[in-house]
């Protein structure tokens, strides 16, 4: 605040290497897109990037103690398993169509970060899994008792695949890419 001598506290840098990488990525973005992405780490384990946040969307980047941007699922069951076994006991979520569309619309700036991290970039030429439902309490893992079978049973008719031409119902064994989102658990993460 001017004239008071008060200086706001500086955010603690939790991982200097990732903090520097984020600065390099920001410099590559168009001016109007800068500061729209955050690279988050786990507060208690800031060794690897855990989340790439753009707006309210938090794309999970950490799985089994390695970084990964995209998975692949050959059917609904595999897609739900991938989300359920998100990371260290905290489930992740398959995006709804509007979230898939938002990520694909922002793929150019998201990919600056993914490429810098050595992760697979997002392409709108790929097919992506989505669940056409409202997110929230009704579709939370606690509501499904953390059961893949129960989640599949409740959401089976809501699954769709985003193609280059729009959304469609999946075939019985149709493979598509999958990114999963963090919803909840935000208190465990902080900016790198």
């Amino acid at each position: 605040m001017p004239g008071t001598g008060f200086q706001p506290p500086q955010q603690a840098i939790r991982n200097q290497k990732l903090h520097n990488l984020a600065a390099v990525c920001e410099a590559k973005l168009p001016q109007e897109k800068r500061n729209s992405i955050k690279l988050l780490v786990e507060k208690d384990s800031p060794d690897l990037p855990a989340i790439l946040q753009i707006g309210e969307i938090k794309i999970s980047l950490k799985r089994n103690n390695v970084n990964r941007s995209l998975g692949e699922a050959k059917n609904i069951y595999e897609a739900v398993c991938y989300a359920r076994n998100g990371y260290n006991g905290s489930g992740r979520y398959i995006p709804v169509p509007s979230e898939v569309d938002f990520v694909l619309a922002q793929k150019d700036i998201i990919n600056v970060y993914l490429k810098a991290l050595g992760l697979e970039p997002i392409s709108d030429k790929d097919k992506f899994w989505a669940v056409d439902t409202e997110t929230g309490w009704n579709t939370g893992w606690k509501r499904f008792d953390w059961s893949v079978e129960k989640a599949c049973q409740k959401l089976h008719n809501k699954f769709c695949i985003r193609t280059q031409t729009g959304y469609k119902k999946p075939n019985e064994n149709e493979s598509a890419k999958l990114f999963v989102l963090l919803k909840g658990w935000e208190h465990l993460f902080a900016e790198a």
Side-chain angles (χ1 to χ4, degrees), residues 124 162-168:
D124 56 7
R162 192 248 187 225
T163 68
Q164 291 182 46
T165 58
Y167 288 89
K168 68 178 196 74

Side-chain angles (χ1 to χ4, degrees), residues 71-80 82 129 161 173-178:
E72 182 124 7
K74 296 182 187 107
N75 53 49
I76 291 169
Y77 187 83
E78 279 189 13
V80 175
Y82 192 86
W129 285 100
I161 291 181
N173 285 300
E174 184 168 7
S175 188
K177 300 272 183 173
L178 176 66

Side-chain angles (χ1 to χ4, degrees), residues 94-115:
I94 298 168
V96 299
S98 63
E99 292 167 333
V100 172
D101 293 340
F102 177 80
V103 167
L104 290 174
Q106 303 297 322
K107 72 181 179 340
D108 292 340
I109 62 173
I110 291 170
N111 284 342
V112 168
Y113 277 81
L114 294 180
K115 288 175 185 174

Side-chain angles (χ1 to χ4, degrees), residues 122-190:
I122 292 172
S123 170
D124 56 7
K125 292 181 174 62
D126 288 326
K127 298 187 292 185
F128 287 94
W129 285 100
V131 181
D132 193 8
T133 187
E134 288 184 36
T135 59
W137 183 78
N138 287 333
T139 56
W141 279 111
K142 285 183 184 177
R143 181 76 167 151
F144 296 140
D145 300 321
W146 291 90
S147 165
V148 169
E149 289 75 15
K150 190 170 184 178
C152 284
Q153 178 188 16
K154 296 281 187 184
L155 299 174
H156 185 80
N157 293 329
K158 305 284 187 183
F159 273 88
C160 55
I161 291 181
R162 192 248 187 225
T163 68
Q164 291 182 46
T165 58
Y167 288 89
K168 68 178 196 74
K169 291 290 179 192
N171 297 328
E172 189 172 328
N173 285 300
E174 184 168 7
S175 188
K177 300 272 183 173
L178 176 66
F179 59 86
V180 288
L181 304 177
L182 176 76
K183 295 184 180 184
W185 309 91
E186 286 88 352
H187 63 284
L188 300 177
F189 300 90

